[in-house]
């Protein structure tokens, strides 16, 4: 398939791009800074574009079979618009060029459901701190993004991972359309799930949780990573 990956130079985007190439797909990796992109392959095209530029987005989407969005933004006090603005431009470009399949990433926080099998401190203190204080502007824009996607007529899937961490290998992760137990999702598992959704029948017009079940880090490690500007 011909796949375009937005946010391709972020930690998740690089995993998606590498795994897509390894599976034999042709990939357009979209990044604001094309110089020094760490991957190189015959079926890879690196496109310099900002998702806030609708003309650039349209050029990247033209001729593709599916779109994968791994857009990310750091936590901070300033308003965040990259998710909603970028996704609106992606959606219009998909409509213009007849591209139907979209897989995008937000967060498990947006399920708005109790955390299964977690203790009082995580449910009542830690997650509210992350969702309501540290990451408030990020999650507000993710909600706007999800509404844009939900109202579209595309064949979309939104994946809502938990706290992201890095591993080299894909595990026997879990997937469900409701919030799963556990606090973490490896980027390898997230990338694998994104590709499985984009290239198969998948969970069309659904919000999907992906959860890593082994080899997970401590809550403190992930909190420290998220609080100091890690991107998807």
């Amino acid at each position: 398939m011909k796949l375009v990956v937005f946010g391709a130079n972020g930690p998740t985007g690089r995993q998606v791009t590498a795994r897509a190439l390894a599976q034999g797909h042709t990939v357009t990796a979209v990044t604001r800074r094309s110089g020094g992109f760490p991957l190189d392959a015959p079926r890879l095209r690196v496109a310099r574009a900002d998702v806030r530029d609708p003309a650039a987005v349209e050029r990247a989407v033209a001729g593709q079979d599916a779109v994968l969005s791994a857009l990310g933004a750091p936590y901070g006090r300033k308003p965040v618009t990259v998710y909603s603005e970028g996704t609106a431009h992606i959606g219009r470009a998909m409509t213009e060029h007849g591209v139907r399949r979209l897989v995008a990433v937000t967060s498990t926080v947006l399920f708005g459901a109790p955390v299964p099998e977690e203790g009082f401190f995580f449910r009542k203190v830690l997650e509210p701190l992350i969702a309501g204080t540290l990451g408030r502007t990020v999650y507000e824009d993710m909600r706007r993004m999800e509404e844009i996607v939900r109202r579209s007529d595309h064949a979309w899937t939104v994946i809502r991972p938990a706290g992201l961490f890095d591993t080299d290998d894909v595990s026997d992760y879990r997937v469900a359309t409701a919030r799963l137990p556990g606090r973490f999702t490896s980027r390898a598992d997230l990338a694998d799930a994104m590709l499985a959704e984009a290239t198969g029948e998948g969970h069309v017009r659904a919000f999907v949780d992906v959860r890593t079940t082994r080899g997970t880090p401590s809550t403190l490690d992930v909190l420290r990573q998220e609080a100091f500007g890690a991107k998807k």
Side-chain angles (χ1 to χ4, degrees):
M1 292 180 66
K2 294 179 181 178
L3 306 176
V4 57
V5 180
F6 287 90
N9 207 17
T12 298
R14 289 194 293 268
Q15 290 251 15
V16 172
T17 302
R19 292 182 184 281
L21 291 168
Q23 292 176 16
H25 301 291
T26 298
V27 181
T28 298
V30 181
T31 173
R32 288 184 300 168
R33 303 176 186 85
S34 57
F37 190 73
L39 303 174
D40 186 25
R43 294 184 309 279
L44 173 65
R45 177 172 74 94
V46 181
R48 182 179 179 182
D50 190 323
V51 291
R52 295 182 176 88
D53 180 348
V57 170
E58 186 173 332
R59 289 192 296 270
V61 169
Q64 305 294 338
D65 297 316
V67 177
L68 298 99
S69 173
L71 295 174
Y75 290 169
R77 295 183 179 181
K78 293 182 179 179
V80 174
T81 62
V82 66
Y83 297 101
S84 57
E85 187 177 353
T87 299
H89 293 159
I90 290 168
R92 284 194 287 270
M94 291 176 65
T95 299
E96 177 69 21
H97 293 281
V99 181
R100 294 283 301 150
R101 193 71 175 107
L102 169 66
V103 178
V105 178
T106 58
S107 169
T108 192
V109 168
L110 273 64
F111 275 110
V115 188
E117 301 175 15
E118 289 291 350
F120 177 87
F121 179 76
F122 185 83
R123 290 185 292 108
K124 298 297 185 179
V125 179
L126 188 56
E127 185 167 83
L129 173 65
I130 296 171
T133 303
L134 295 175
R136 180 180 59 81
T137 57
V138 166
Y139 295 123
E140 286 175 348
D141 198 43
M142 283 183 175
R143 290 186 180 93
R144 291 189 289 267
M145 167 191 156
E146 286 196 350
E147 183 61 16
I148 290 168
V149 172
R150 188 186 64 78
R151 289 164 52 188
S152 78
D153 61 358
H154 300 121
W156 56 265
T157 302
V158 174
I159 298 182
R160 293 168 164 175
L164 294 170
F165 69 100
D166 293 315
T167 58
D168 294 328
D169 300 318
V170 175
S171 73
D172 54 347
Y173 59 88
R174 296 182 62 192
V175 175
T177 55
R179 189 165 186 173
L180 289 165
R183 303 180 185 181
F184 307 106
T185 306
S186 78
R187 288 188 173 89
D189 290 347
L190 174 57
D192 189 75
M194 291 177 69
L195 285 169
E197 293 290 339
T199 60
E201 294 184 4
H203 300 81
V204 177
R205 300 189 69 84
F207 298 98
V208 177
D209 198 352
V210 175
R211 194 70 83 237
T212 300
T213 59
R214 58 181 175 83
T216 56
S218 71
T219 299
L220 181 60
D221 287 341
V222 172
L223 179 61
R224 185 182 298 116
Q225 170 185 291
E226 294 294 335
F228 290 98
K231 296 184 181 181
K232 285 190 168 51

